[in-house]
């Protein structure tokens, strides 16, 4: 049928300043293939794909499309060649409708070329949604859609260019299980139509589910390409990190006699938080499990003073407090590492050092006036080392780091603030397996130093591995508590789906 691979890349190199992001990399994509691209944070995955999508220009190497050598000089050129990319961070305009987003810049005009032909626009978008078997009104404002639906709109946009190559960079990072299933269904369908799909993800289980082959990069180098069906996850991890990962000993300390650092009673906020009660002690890692939308983030935000509550009492070290703003929460020693980094976590235009130190500035004020530049730098460098943040220096702008390394910068920032009570909301989202292990070690060390940690995670293995005690939420309520010893994926899932209507009578 098709004699040539859809895409074939050879000897591709790309450097950013002193960083060799790609070093003689090869890659091949077949018609109707789902090809997973794996590698640690900063390995070069996004860079490779951005070159194919015309976002970056290669330094050297060859790219062939269906056997023909091509130069991809711009995103527009890539689109014209049938290559579309859905970026790690979505790029939609929230104030426009789904249809307007899909055809932005190439809207059909009415006969007089003056007015947009909204009807034609919506009809065309509707036809694409139909092709995807997606139930979505093209006139819906994108801002009001869930992340999952926004992603579907991005895919629709890609399809509107008649793409033969569709690149998805960590598409499921913010999706729940049902939404992932929906995405996989659409991927299957595109595959049947002969579209080649490049799939970047840090979730090892997805690899088996969705991909035909996997290519692994490490430190900008090509490591290998193997068929997924006959390969074990451990083999892929071994290729990614270049070493076997040591499993840390699981140790659950007895914290039952420790001081209660945070106590929350009768917390309510509309339907999002319903009569939530819990406490965390010094040295404890409390896991907050549940499906997406169960209310875990809402609880963290309420305690942190980011959202108003209807009622409830919060005690910090036994003392009742009224936390009205995040700033107040931080003064009381409460930290919140948000799941939404872009919005709350990082000033991406600033450098690594400023991001880490900005919120701890007071600590670096000498006599209240002079910033101790040297102390800031030393602290930032220490954290960059201990978290293994891949950056040429601490004065690199954060937006130039890979996605996972940006996440580590957020963690570094909170570590420096020296809070006693720390909420970690999906701390390892977008983080590679090796760095995950580092972050787990770090959380354990923080608990060992006597901090109280609340960890929100949608990944059950992570909750089970890290928590000393687990609270499960469903629809705004706490539906159960499990000790580390008695918890299992099944028991958590059971509690996480315990809707009120089922338990009422
Ligand atoms: N525009 C840029 N300027 C400078 N350095 C960059 C730029 N884009 C990427 N890099 C660097 O190139 C390397 C590869 O980054 P890339 O984003 O491709 O990694 P990745 O494999 O996608 O990682 P992640 O899993 O964290 O998303 C990193 O060291 C990154 O900091
Ligand atoms: Mg990336």
């Amino acid at each position: 049928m098709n004699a040539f691979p859809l895409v074939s890349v050879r000897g591709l190199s790309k450097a950013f300043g002193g960083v060799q992001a790609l070093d003689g990399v090869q890659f091949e994509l077949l018609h109707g293939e789902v090809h997973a691209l794996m590698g640690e944070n900063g390995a070069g995955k996004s860079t490779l794909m951005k070159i194919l999508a015309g976002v970056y220009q290669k330094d050297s190497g060859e790219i062939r499309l269906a056997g023909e050598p091509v130069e991809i000089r711009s995103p527009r050129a890539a689109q014209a060649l049938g290559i579309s990319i859905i970026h790690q961070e979505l790029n939609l305009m929230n104030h426009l409708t789904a249809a307007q987003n899909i055809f932005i810049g190439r809207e059909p005009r009415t006969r007089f070329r003056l007015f947009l032909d909204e009807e034609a626009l919506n009809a065309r978008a509707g036809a694409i949604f139909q092709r995807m078997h997606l139930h979505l009104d093209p006139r819906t404002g994108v801002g009001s859609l869930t992340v999952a639906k926004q992603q579907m709109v991005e895919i629709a946009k890609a399809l509107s260019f008649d793409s033969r190559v569709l690149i998805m960079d960590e598409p499921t990072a913010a999706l729940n299980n049902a939404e992932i299933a929906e995405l996989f269904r659409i991927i299957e369908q595109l595959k049947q139509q002969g579209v080649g799909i490049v799939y970047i993800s840090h979730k090892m289980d997805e690899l088996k589910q969705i991909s035909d082959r996997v290519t692994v990069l490490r430190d900008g180098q090509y490591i290998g390409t193997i068929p997924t069906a006959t390969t074990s996850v451990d083999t892929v991890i071994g290729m990614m990190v270049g070493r076997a990962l040591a499993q840390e000993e699981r140790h659950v300390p007895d914290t039952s006699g420790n001081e209660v650092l945070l106590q929350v009673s009768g917390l309510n906020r509309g339907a999002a938080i319903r009569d939530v009660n819990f406490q965390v002690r010094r040295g404890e890692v409390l896991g907050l499990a549940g499906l997406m939308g169960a209310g875990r983030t809402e609880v963290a935000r309420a305690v942190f003073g980011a959202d108003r509550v209807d009622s409830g009492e919060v005690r910090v070290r036994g003392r009742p407090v009224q936390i009205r703003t995040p700033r107040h929460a931080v003064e009381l020693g409460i930290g919140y590492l948000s799941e939404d980094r872009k919005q709350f976590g990082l000033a991406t235009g600033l450098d690594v050092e400023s991001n880490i130190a900005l919120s701890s500035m007071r600590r670096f004020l000498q006599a209240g006036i002079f910033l101790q530049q040297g102390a800031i730098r030393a602290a930032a460098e220490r954290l960059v080392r201990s978290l293994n943040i891949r950056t040429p220096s601490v004065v690199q702008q954060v937006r130039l780091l890979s996605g996972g390394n940006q996440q580590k910068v957020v963690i570094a920032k909170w570590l420096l603030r020296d809070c006693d009570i720390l909420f970690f909301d999906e701390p390892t989202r977008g983080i590679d397996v090796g760095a995950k292990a580092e972050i787990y070690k770090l959380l354990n060390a923080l608990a060992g130093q006597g901090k109280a940690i609340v960890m929100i995670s949608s990944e059950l293995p992570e909750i089970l591995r890290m928590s000393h005690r687990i609270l499960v939420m469903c629809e705004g309520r706490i539906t159960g508590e499990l000790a580390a010893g008695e918890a299992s994926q099944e028991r958590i899932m059971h509690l996480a789906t315990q809707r009120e209507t089922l338990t009422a009578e």
Side-chain angles (χ1 to χ4, degrees), residues 4 38 113 133 152 161 208 231 289 291 316 341 394 412 461:
F4 293 104
M38 309 279 297
R113 297 195 159 267
H133 296 282
M152 302 297 170
F161 287 99
K208 283 274 175 199
T231 307
L291 303 176
V316 174
R341 255 85 63 187
V394 293

Side-chain angles (χ1 to χ4, degrees), residues 38 99 112 204 422 464 483:
M38 309 279 297
F112 305 104
M204 304 305 294
L422 282 164
L464 287 168

Side-chain angles (χ1 to χ4, degrees), residues 360-376:
S360 310
M361 274 312 175
R362 208 174 308 166
R363 259 178 69 188
F364 296 106
L365 281 179
Q366 214 170 28
I369 304 168
F370 301 107
L371 284 178
Q372 295 171 286
Q373 189 59 42
I376 293 179

Side-chain angles (χ1 to χ4, degrees), residues 42 45-47 88 169-170 200 202 402-404:
K45 306 178 297 289
S46 295
T47 303
Q88 220 159 340
D169 200 346
E170 298 196 41
I200 301 179
H202 287 293
S402 78

Side-chain angles (χ1 to χ4, degrees), residues 178-291:
E179 293 164 340
I180 292 173
E182 171 88 357
L183 177 71
F184 284 5
R185 185 184 61 69
I186 289 173
I187 290 179
E188 268 318 314
Q189 222 160 41
L190 295 174
K191 204 177 133 149
Q192 299 306 323
Q193 299 167 13
V195 177
I197 293 156
V198 185
Y199 191 87
I200 301 179
S201 174
H202 287 293
K203 299 187 186 168
M204 304 305 294
D205 50 336
E206 293 184 349
L207 191 69
K208 283 274 175 199
Q209 262 178 287
I210 196 77
S211 73
D212 301 302
R213 288 193 297 168
V214 51
T215 287
V216 177
L217 300 181
R218 191 201 312 150
D219 289 333
Q221 311 250 355
Y222 172 80
I223 302 298
T225 301
I226 42 182
T228 315
T230 54
T231 307
S232 77
V233 165
D234 282 343
T235 306
V236 178
I237 293 178
M239 289 168 76
M240 282 171 62
V241 299
R243 62 192 138 87
L245 279 185
Q247 273 282 344
E248 234 190 309
E249 280 293 313
R250 174 111 174 92
H251 168 67
V252 180
D254 178 12
T255 54
S256 57
N258 291 3
E259 180 192 5
V260 174
L261 286 185
L262 176 72
Q263 173 139 28
V264 174
S265 329
L267 198 66
N268 279 288
R269 190 179 146 247
I273 306 174
R274 297 191 282 166
D275 192 28
V276 162
N277 301 282
F278 69 94
Q279 58 180 32
V280 212
R281 293 174 188 273
R282 221 173 246 297
E284 194 178 24
V285 179
L286 177 68
L288 214 46
L291 303 176

